[in-house]
Amino acid sequence: MTKIFIDGKAGTTGLRIYERLESFDGIELISLDDEKRKDPQYRKEALNSADIAFLCLPDDAARESVSLIENENTVVIDTSTAHRTLDDWAYGFPELSLSHREKIKNSKRIAVPGCHASGFISLIYPLVEAGILKNTENLSCFSLTGYSGGGKKMIADYEEEPDELLGAPRQYALTQNHKHLKEMVKISGINNAPVFCPVVGDFYSGMEVTVPLFKSDLNDGFGLSDIKEVYKNKYAGPIVTYCDDLSENGFISAGLLSGKDSMIVSVFGNEDRFILTARYDNLGKGASGAAVECLNIVLGNDDTNGLEV
């Protein structure tokens, strides 16, 4: 019986992980009462009793949880930003390469990718890896997300006391210091942070990340067909797949995969200018679904166990 503890179970990500684990066999969930779940002593006991601990916490609290672990056998799957750029932590996006998958499988410390970062990295990493995209290029990234990505407070803002401004899309991270940028740069292999334009919309969940490119951004001899071929070979499912054209009457919706744990990568445009897109659920492949996928790899399960793809 594998003992699992979710530190931060009451949050949006923690609750979604808990829901997915309800269908698992051979696990025992360690739970703390409400009056104990924030007490460091009780958390320390639970963390060290667990075979696998999910951290669904703010960055500083996640670092504190790691510091409380003395059991060398406890595997940590952290959904915060705290450890994603550390070399001794596995980056939890197994579809990027066999080495990423193997590191997740064999590591005691796994960092789940950020929601925005997941889309950007899924699009850029394969092109840098294949030598198609110049890693010195200055890129831009547009990301449209549902409001559930902002956690309980933002969900309440939209659903309990909505005002007129919440009815329209809202751009944020205006200072270009979004916390996902360091992760986007390091994992994708580029030299410069992209100009990043995240937007939250008046819908619960779903995500669409877009990176526009000119042919001149590519190394000589490469074009649109090469990008498509790389994606076809890299993303053959079952969780991340390439689809040649998934527009709906000339539109693409950020809500296509709401409620799902999968991701669809596509390319649109022409030979001179094109856009790379990744669509998924910010709470699925962008958070809880990705965390459970990592758990499946650690346990030797099918990647999709407990997931909705």
Side-chain angles (χ1 to χ4, degrees):
M1 189 72 68
T2 301
K3 295 182 178 180
I4 295 177
F5 175 56
I6 304 173
D7 197 0
K9 176 186 168 185
T12 306
T13 300
L15 286 171
R16 291 288 288 263
I17 291 174
Y18 179 79
E19 290 170 359
R20 285 158 172 77
L21 295 184
E22 288 183 322
S23 64
F24 273 61
D25 294 323
I27 67 169
E28 175 187 340
L29 288 172
I30 300 172
S31 298
L32 294 178
D33 298 334
D34 285 347
E35 64 271 16
K36 296 178 180 179
R37 63 184 177 84
K38 292 186 178 181
D39 187 307
Q41 186 57 43
Y42 288 105
R43 287 172 52 224
K44 180 177 182 178
E45 181 179 340
L47 287 163
N48 285 283
S49 298
D51 297 302
I52 299 170
F54 288 96
L55 307 184
C56 305
L57 303 162
D59 290 0
D60 288 342
R63 294 186 186 98
E64 179 190 44
S65 289
V66 173
S67 74
L68 296 174
I69 298 175
E70 298 169 346
N71 182 352
E72 63 181 15
N73 294 316
T74 298
V75 175
V76 177
I77 302 177
D78 181 17
T79 67
S80 81
T81 313
H83 303 102
R84 292 173 186 158
T85 60
L86 300 183
D87 291 335
D88 54 343
W89 283 66
Y91 190 72
F93 202 124
E95 292 85 2
L96 294 181
S97 71
L98 181 59
S99 62
H100 282 86
R101 175 176 290 274
E102 287 300 307
K103 191 169 183 179
I104 293 167
K105 181 179 179 180
N106 298 309
S107 180
K108 299 295 185 184
R109 298 290 182 267
I110 303 164
V112 178
C115 55
H116 296 290
S118 294
F120 181 82
I121 291 166
S122 72
L123 298 170
I124 298 305
Y125 177 92
L127 304 187
V128 173
E129 178 190 40
I132 292 176
L133 180 65
K134 303 172 185 176
N135 63 1
T136 56
E137 285 300 306
N138 291 312
L139 303 175
S140 62
C141 177
F142 177 85
S143 185
L144 177 59
T145 182
Y147 58 76
S148 59
K152 285 188 171 181
K153 183 182 184 305
M154 184 173 285
I155 292 172
D157 288 342
Y158 274 87
E159 296 185 349
E160 296 178 13
E161 298 180 9
D163 62 38
E164 185 175 350
L165 290 178
L166 301 184
R170 296 188 298 159
Q171 187 171 342
Y172 63 104
L174 304 178
T175 61
Q176 291 300 300
N177 288 315
H178 193 283
K179 65 180 182 178
H180 289 183
L181 283 172
K182 291 181 180 179
E183 172 188 359
M184 291 159 75
V185 170
K186 180 177 176 62
I187 305 301
S188 63
I190 56 177
N191 294 348
N192 308 310
V195 175
F196 184 40
C197 305
V199 174
V200 60
D202 185 16
F203 57 100
Y204 182 76
S205 69
M207 202 158 204
E208 177 192 328
V209 174
T210 300
V211 178
L213 290 178
F214 288 97
K215 182 174 173 60
S216 58
D217 294 324
L218 309 183
N219 283 309
D220 291 344
F222 293 105
L224 184 61
S225 61
D226 299 295
I227 294 176
K228 292 182 176 182
E229 192 63 25
V230 165
Y231 289 157
K232 286 177 184 177
N233 292 330
K234 176 72 73 175
Y235 300 131
I239 293 177
V240 183
T241 55
Y242 172 78
C243 182
D244 201 39
D245 185 358
L246 201 64
S247 63
E248 302 92 28
N249 297 318
F251 295 87
I252 55 174
S253 170
L256 177 70
L257 295 178
S258 178
K260 302 288 188 179
D261 296 303
S262 50
M263 174 186 284
I264 294 176
V265 170
S266 300
V267 185
F268 302 92
N270 53 56
E271 287 298 330
D272 297 316
R273 293 170 291 122
F274 30 90
I275 55 173
L276 319 176
T277 67
R279 288 191 285 174
Y280 49 106
D281 188 334
N282 54 290
L283 295 178
K285 184 59 173 170
S288 305
V292 173
E293 182 184 358
C294 290
L295 171 67
N296 283 327
I297 293 172
V298 170
L299 295 177
N301 295 336
D302 185 279
D303 285 9
T304 63
N305 187 44
L307 300 181
E308 180 64 46
V309 296

